[in-house]
Amino acid sequence: MFLRLRLPLLLTLLAGLVPVVAFFFKDEARAVKAPASWLEQDMIIVAGFALLLGVVNVVQSNMKKIERRDKGWFFAVVLLGGMAVTGLVGALGAFRIGGLPGIGNYPDGRPTPFAWCANYLFTPLQATMFSLLAFYIASAAFRAFRVRNVAATILLVAAVVVMLGRIPVGEGVFGRFTEWLMQIPNGAAQRGIIIGAALGAASLSLRVILGIERSYLGLDKGE
Amino acid sequence: MAYFDISRVNALTLFIFFCIVVILFIEKARADRNLYIRRIAGLNAIDEAVGRATELGKKVLYIPGIMSIDENQTIASLAVLAHVARMTARYATDLDVPNKDPLTFASARETVKEAYTLEGRPDLYQESMVHYVTYDQFAFTAAVSGIMVRERPAANFLIGSFYAESLLLAETGQASGAIQIAGTAEVAQLPFFVCACDYTLIGEELYAAGAYLSRQPAMLGSIKGQDWTKAAVGAAIILGVLLESLHLFPGFKAFFSIQ
Amino acid sequence: MAKGIAKLQTIDRRWIFLLIALGTLIPIVLPIGFPVTITPPVKSIYDLIETFGPGDVVILSYDYGPTTGAENDPMADAILRHCFSRDVKVVALALYPLGGLTSLSNSLNRVTAEFPELEYGVDYVNLGYKDGGQASMKLLADDFAKAFPGDTNGRPLAEIPLMQQIKGAREAKLAVSIATGIIGEWWANLINAQFGLPVAVGCTAVSAPKYYAYLEAKQMIGLIGGLKGASEYERMVKEGYPATREAYANPLLQTASKGMDAQTIDHLIVIAFIVIGNIAYFASRRGKGQA
Amino acid sequence: MPAYAFIGTWVAALLTLFLMSFLYKDNPFFRFAEALFAGVSLGYYIGITLDQTLRPNLLEPLAQNGVTPTNFHLLFAGLLGLNLYTRYIPRIAWLARLSLAVYVGYYVGINMVQKLQGEVLPQSAATMVDLTGGGNGALAAFNAVVVFVGVISVLIYFFFSLPHDGVVGRVSRLGIWFLMLGFGAAFGYTVMGRVSLLIGRFNFLVIDWIGGTMRALGGG
């Protein structure tokens, strides 16, 4: 029981103290700084390993859908196919197998198969999904900005003034006021949020280091 | 102490002050179990949202942000997830937790599994409740949007660290008719959650949420401690403004500046 | 009547989507050309390049990728057209890892096609992409060859006539960074601060507030902010150099003025819907009050 | 236009339209693009992780130099990484938690000092304004008052230990108004950036796809 419950909490405590202590020392204090920088490099690698955890889950659940011929199983085939092809040409490139120069372009500018997938499948899909925001921001504004009460009215007026201040037809009237709104009142509100949230985050850190907050480990036994 | 970084003496002072105050209040809370913490509107709505999903026989969708567990907002979100999962276990409501980050995925699984065990319903827990989607922000958004329109969850929780996908998810969820409770400390995304969700936990409220919901004395004590540190910071700001306005003792403001 | 208006509150949001799509698409196909007023931060860049002539060299750094091309491409293109119209030489390079090289090559191909008299290696050079950010930037300030041994096709710099005239970036007249993120700041606080080379930046609207601080601190001689700034520069180039008007009239060319048109229309659509929503909201409340 | 680019542009254009069709309603074309996107993006990150993290940070240092005193910690990293997979072996599944514990511990430690030093201190210092405007005129003084009142009232809104009534209630109401003013302004400001993303997509469809195809067919 000690191992299962206390060991993880002890490791959290130790791993948490390393960067905190290192933070207050100069670079010359190598005995303190070195473990922190090792841990930093190591955590990047751990995160790299974690991706496969996700891949395993995706393969398992989609294979199940295909085997059971669930509704929409065809899309599970598309998903796994896309992943297998892109992942395979990526792995071949990463290890320079089959004459591939890597995962970018050939010296003459032609794309490797992985770069082709990145340029013509991944990037346009990403950019398109991102661009849908232009539509959603309009529909959200339409629905949310109503003169319901004081707070909602302030929200509405500030948004409309800034929108007018950013286009040629309204710039002359609202341009300067827009900059003022963004810098002074908006700056003050943001600063209040940041100070409060930073203290909240620090308090959470302390709870985790002390082993009080542990739901992220599934050790939520209470006191 | 030649190795001590003297330029960080101000940070060290704040750090020590903060730790002492928080730990003192944690100890105090363990002795006196009646600490006052005011209501936080978004948190009281959680029960209502899960209740509605139960009534309608639909699922609860919980998105723990898109960042990894190296981000404190994610850890704060998992603490809220622990509470939500206990409720869905109690009412035997379906829960769905899609993930963008693989480590968050691994953590969220532990969290949900434990919540179902604690509620005495490990039989209801299924591995498929917490699942992985993809590492790309917008591919994840597309997939979750698909879940929202096809499976029409009755309650959407968007709690954690969000970026540009905040409004894409919140608008899609809104159009699908779900009750939406959001929470983030990403200042740039707060306007969108405030506009498109029913309740929004703003900044510090997100970090306090897990502690507030757990009702454990030590947790509440840490909120008290952070609260009084905040009061001290506020008092220091007021003092600093007075000194600056009277052009006295510029060293006070300089002490708070870094570098 | 009030009931009819009140219904607008719950109008299908797809009508809004349709109008936004049209408001964005139509100006791309049929430009309108809303008038833009020229602002000082943009004009000071134009004015400085106006003082350059044949033999002067400008460095143009592509510190953005295709994702922000809608805002950044027209800036880079306008600077190129301005320089080429005055026979000013251009050394182009890319420091942005996520597609900086793609943006650089496309932009050069686009604009040099409009100036058939230009000769590669004499009037302009494409050095390609180099990673390493600030480290590369420091190297190329003294000696381009240290950061870029060859141009984008691997031709040694020593064999390129233009690169024989100029050894390091500090010998140029001006460096222009078209940037999406932090790299433009490095040009100001590294190259301008350490080598005194005048620096101008063109940035996306989202990052403009940050760059204004450098402008005010005089670490930059000018700033082109977002589509608005780009459309101002376009207007000055079109008015100053009538020969470029033909290129700008090409319906298949993406320009900042078209983008600015779309932006203006979309803002007005959103505002119109907010007004409609509120009228409907009041109508519904009055309707309830009477009942 | 080379063949790979011609085909690629067509594929990209169709996928763009498939995704956009979601605005009308969910449909099989969107589902196709959505599934392909999920798969390709996962494959993309497999390639990127192998090429840019595991090879240069783990495999190459160990392969080139062997295990040395300065890099033996990489073995620890590899072990922690592999340990994540013990969750698939029921008897030792709990071991996976140890990796999570170290990972979370390290980052909450970093976050704690960074938030206190990098956010609380400088943001507080920046709020210590000279209410007289420091000789920069009435507007500067007014701005200083607005900043000061805004920050303090928002901080009071976030104070959890007192109920929102009486004076605290009124000040925190002011705090909410500041928040709404800030949110509204930020919302309006962002519309522009989002519209330019859409312009970028439409430029691609009109200029690169339709225009490019016309040029290619016209023998250009």
Side-chain angles (χ1 to χ4, degrees):
Chain A
M1 207 53 210
F2 166 80
L3 283 180
R4 289 183 189 213
L5 188 65
R6 294 289 158 192
L7 186 60
L9 298 179
L10 186 68
L11 283 177
T12 306
L13 174 70
L14 290 176
L17 287 179
V18 169
V20 171
V21 172
F23 181 81
F24 294 107
F25 284 86
K26 287 186 192 151
D27 289 344
E28 293 84 61
R30 287 202 35 83
V32 187
K33 288 279 188 188
S37 102
W38 290 343
L39 267 183
E40 185 185 339
Q41 297 168 36
D42 292 355
M43 292 307 111
I44 296 171
I45 295 169
V46 174
F49 270 95
L51 187 63
L52 187 60
L53 212 55
V55 173
V56 169
N57 184 258
V58 167
V59 172
Q60 278 180 341
S61 62
N62 282 287
M63 286 303 279
K64 216 179 274 173
K65 270 185 208 162
I66 297 170
E67 277 163 19
R68 288 197 307 236
R69 291 286 191 275
D70 281 355
K71 212 176 133 210
W73 64 272
F74 167 71
F75 299 108
V77 175
V78 173
L79 195 159
L80 291 181
M83 184 183 91
V85 170
T86 317
L88 185 70
V89 294
L92 293 177
F95 296 107
R96 317 291 188 257
I97 298 167
L100 289 168
I103 59 173
N105 290 349
Y106 288 101
D108 64 359
R110 278 181 307 123
T112 58
F114 184 80
W116 190 91
C117 291
N119 291 344
Y120 297 109
L121 299 177
F122 180 61
T123 310
L125 283 165
Q126 212 182 21
T128 305
M129 203 61 208
F130 200 177
S131 76
L132 295 188
L133 269 174
F135 298 102
Y136 286 153
I137 209 167
S139 63
F142 167 68
R143 214 187 43 252
F145 294 156
R146 300 274 159 86
V147 190
R148 285 195 197 94
N149 52 41
V150 182
T153 309
I154 295 174
L155 189 75
L156 180 162
V157 172
V160 171
V161 165
V162 171
M163 269 187 268
L164 283 172
R166 304 280 289 167
I167 53 175
V169 288
E171 202 189 10
V173 189
F174 295 112
R176 297 284 296 278
F177 187 56
T178 292
E179 294 301 321
W180 181 83
L181 264 183
M182 284 303 288
Q183 274 173 24
I184 306 295
N186 175 51
Q190 289 202 355
R191 202 172 278 164
I193 298 175
I194 290 171
I195 294 175
L199 289 171
S203 167
L204 178 81
S205 285
L206 197 54
R207 288 201 292 272
V208 171
I209 292 176
L210 296 177
I212 296 171
E213 171 61 69
R214 49 182 106 146
S215 38
Y216 68 96
L217 286 176
L219 291 175
D220 207 358
K221 280 279 187 289
E223 296 241 320
Chain B
M1 285 317 279
Y3 289 123
F4 178 71
D5 186 345
I6 200 75
S7 72
R8 289 183 172 169
V9 69
N10 51 4
L12 185 64
T13 312
L14 177 62
F15 176 77
I16 292 173
F17 178 86
F18 181 79
C19 289
I20 290 176
V21 174
V22 172
I23 292 173
L24 272 181
F25 271 97
I26 290 176
E27 289 310 315
K28 189 167 171 247
R30 283 182 167 141
D32 165 20
R33 303 209 153 215
N34 290 316
L35 284 185
Y36 174 81
I37 301 279
R38 73 167 167 81
R39 275 183 67 231
I40 299 174
L43 293 180
N44 293 328
I46 290 180
D47 300 15
E48 178 196 332
V50 177
R52 201 174 93 146
T54 310
E55 267 169 38
L56 295 175
K58 289 182 174 179
K59 69 156 99 172
V60 170
L61 183 68
Y62 192 104
I63 304 157
I66 62 160
M67 298 306 280
S68 190
I69 46 175
D70 56 3
E71 167 60 56
N72 279 17
Q73 294 176 65
T74 309
I75 309 213
S77 176
L78 292 175
V80 179
L81 173 61
H83 178 81
V84 172
R86 287 184 72 156
M87 299 210 48
T88 56
R90 197 176 308 154
Y91 299 128
T93 309
D94 199 7
L95 174 68
D96 188 5
V97 188
N99 281 280
K100 183 240 154 195
D101 184 86
L103 283 169
T104 307
F105 158 68
S107 257
R109 263 192 169 174
E110 303 289 341
T111 307
V112 171
K113 196 172 174 186
E114 179 74 2
Y116 275 75
T117 311
L118 282 177
E119 269 312 305
R121 299 308 302 270
D123 54 309
L124 289 179
Y125 172 76
Q126 290 162 4
E127 288 273 281
S128 60
M129 282 177 171
V130 183
H131 58 102
Y132 190 73
V133 180
T134 173
Y135 197 66
D136 181 70
Q137 175 189 14
F138 290 110
F140 174 75
T141 308
V144 175
S145 301
I147 295 177
M148 284 175 171
V149 298
R150 273 167 228 140
E151 305 179 20
R152 298 202 174 266
N156 295 338
F157 291 89
L158 300 145
I159 296 182
S161 177
F162 288 87
Y163 290 92
E165 68 287 343
S166 65
L167 187 64
L168 291 170
L169 294 171
E171 265 299 288
T172 307
Q174 213 285 333
S176 77
I179 286 197
Q180 302 203 98
I181 299 177
T184 189
E186 300 295 342
V187 179
Q189 304 308 326
L190 277 167
F192 306 117
F193 278 153
V194 167
C195 286
C197 295
D198 299 285
Y199 298 94
T200 305
L201 301 170
I202 300 171
E204 196 178 355
E205 293 174 339
L206 161 65
Y207 292 114
Y212 179 91
L213 291 168
S214 78
R215 289 274 139 205
Q216 290 170 22
M219 296 269 207
L220 295 178
S222 74
I223 299 187
K224 278 277 184 194
Q226 117 199 12
D227 232 11
W228 289 107
T229 308
K230 187 165 49 204
V233 169
I237 291 176
I238 294 173
L239 181 61
V241 166
L242 277 176
L243 292 174
E244 284 296 304
S245 304
L246 299 170
H247 305 285
L248 294 169
F249 197 49
F252 185 78
K253 179 175 176 176
F255 181 74
F256 285 81
S257 311
I258 51 174
Q259 278 158 6
Chain C
M1 175 66 189
K3 237 182 197 171
I5 297 172
K7 266 198 182 151
L8 283 173
Q9 270 201 97
T10 52
I11 182 176
D12 190 331
R13 60 182 193 153
R14 285 177 290 193
W15 290 109
I16 306 176
F17 294 167
L18 180 66
L19 284 177
I20 292 284
L22 291 176
T24 313
L25 188 61
I26 289 174
I28 293 176
V29 185
L30 302 166
I32 300 161
F34 284 114
V36 288
T37 40
I38 310 291
T39 56
V42 183
K43 187 162 193 301
S44 57
I45 304 176
Y46 183 87
D47 289 348
L48 183 65
I49 295 182
E50 280 293 287
T51 65
F52 300 163
D56 289 334
V57 180
V58 166
I59 293 160
L60 184 57
S61 181
Y62 288 74
D63 303 327
Y64 69 95
T67 39
T68 56
E71 285 184 273
N72 289 131
D73 281 340
M75 298 174 186
D77 293 2
I79 297 277
L80 280 180
R81 288 191 184 97
H82 190 194
C83 290
F84 290 154
S85 298
R86 294 191 61 78
D87 205 10
V88 173
K89 316 290 181 219
V90 176
V91 176
L93 51 101
L95 297 173
Y96 187 70
L98 306 174
L101 182 60
T102 313
S103 295
L104 159 61
S105 306
N106 290 346
S107 166
L108 268 184
N109 288 343
R110 216 166 27 233
V111 180
T112 52
E114 298 163 15
F115 295 84
E117 71 281 7
L118 296 179
E119 192 182 332
Y120 180 81
V122 176
D123 297 295
Y124 66 99
V125 170
N126 176 353
L127 292 184
Y129 164 76
K130 190 58 61 183
D131 62 6
Q134 286 168 304
S136 304
M137 209 181 263
K138 262 191 191 157
L139 290 176
L140 66 86
D142 270 325
D143 187 353
F144 280 113
K146 280 191 186 152
F148 295 90
D151 73 356
T152 191
N153 295 318
R155 190 167 151 202
L157 295 196
E159 293 174 14
I160 300 172
L162 175 56
M163 300 316 289
Q164 290 161 0
Q165 290 172 34
I166 176 168
K167 186 159 180 278
R170 60 198 299 178
E171 294 164 32
K173 286 278 184 177
L174 170 73
V176 183
S177 162
I178 310 295
T180 176
I182 196 169
I183 302 178
E185 289 181 48
W186 295 343
W187 281 99
N189 59 29
L190 202 89
I191 299 298
N192 175 264
Q194 291 186 15
F195 302 95
L197 174 69
V199 167
V201 170
C203 65
T204 54
V206 179
S207 51
K210 211 171 47 184
Y211 281 99
Y212 269 107
Y214 288 96
L215 183 68
E216 275 164 27
K218 307 238 179 319
Q219 287 179 282
M220 295 175 182
I221 60 111
L223 180 66
I224 307 175
L227 276 170
K228 170 76 171 45
S231 63
E232 291 172 34
Y233 209 98
E234 265 176 13
R235 187 182 143 194
M236 286 189 284
V237 171
K238 264 190 278 187
E239 285 173 0
Y241 300 90
T244 62
R245 279 183 208 161
E246 194 192 332
Y248 275 115
N250 179 354
L252 287 181
L253 187 76
Q254 58 153 315
T255 69
S257 343
K258 291 179 191 173
M260 205 54 214
D261 289 347
Q263 197 123 258
T264 306
I265 295 175
D266 286 345
H267 273 203
L268 292 174
I269 291 173
V270 174
I271 293 169
F273 269 101
I274 294 175
V275 172
I276 293 171
N278 280 287
I279 292 173
Y281 176 70
F282 278 113
S284 75
R285 290 217 323 196
R286 279 184 68 190
K288 272 181 205 152
Q290 283 160 359
Chain D
M1 202 190 291
Y4 70 80
F6 185 81
I7 297 169
T9 305
W10 268 82
V11 171
L14 291 177
L15 290 176
T16 300
L17 293 174
F18 287 0
L19 269 194
M20 282 190 170
S21 70
F22 182 66
L23 291 170
Y24 181 65
K25 68 178 203 191
D26 187 31
N27 63 73
F29 294 107
F30 171 75
R31 284 196 79 172
F32 175 83
E34 176 208 315
L36 187 68
F37 192 7
V40 167
S41 63
L42 209 45
Y44 176 83
Y45 284 103
I46 293 173
I48 293 284
T49 307
L50 288 174
D51 188 72
Q52 310 202 344
T53 305
L54 293 183
R55 195 175 55 87
N57 294 11
L58 179 67
L59 302 176
E60 275 180 359
L62 290 177
Q64 282 167 7
N65 310 326
V67 178
T68 67
T70 50
N71 77 9
F72 76 91
H73 66 93
L74 292 176
L75 293 178
F76 169 69
L79 208 64
L80 277 185
L82 287 175
N83 181 49
L84 286 170
Y85 296 89
T86 53
R87 88 174 307 284
Y88 291 110
I89 308 166
R91 274 191 51 221
I92 51 166
W94 64 276
L95 276 175
R97 275 182 193 152
L98 299 182
S99 299
L100 295 177
V102 174
Y103 191 85
V104 168
Y106 173 74
Y107 283 107
V108 293
I110 287 201
N111 289 341
M112 182 169 181
V113 280
Q114 274 181 358
K115 296 275 176 188
L116 291 177
Q117 193 241 6
E119 292 182 358
V120 177
L121 287 177
Q123 296 288 344
S124 305
T127 313
M128 294 176 192
V129 285
D130 180 351
L131 296 181
T132 64
N136 293 322
L139 182 65
F142 177 69
N143 286 348
V145 172
V146 173
V147 166
F148 173 60
V149 172
V151 173
I152 294 292
S153 61
V154 171
L155 279 183
I156 288 179
Y157 168 78
F158 283 121
F159 203 69
F160 300 113
S161 296
L162 293 170
H164 277 173
D165 49 27
V167 179
V168 176
R170 278 196 291 275
V171 178
S172 60
R173 174 103 52 86
L174 184 64
I176 294 178
W177 292 348
F178 262 97
L179 290 176
M180 291 303 145
L181 197 59
F183 291 160
F187 191 111
Y189 201 84
T190 317
V191 175
M192 184 175 227
R194 301 313 185 213
V195 169
S196 56
L197 293 168
L198 184 61
I199 296 171
R201 281 334 279 160
F202 281 172
N203 274 339
F204 167 75
L205 288 177
V206 174
I207 295 167
D208 295 346
W209 180 44
I210 299 177
T213 303
M214 276 162 39
R215 276 193 298 273
L217 296 181

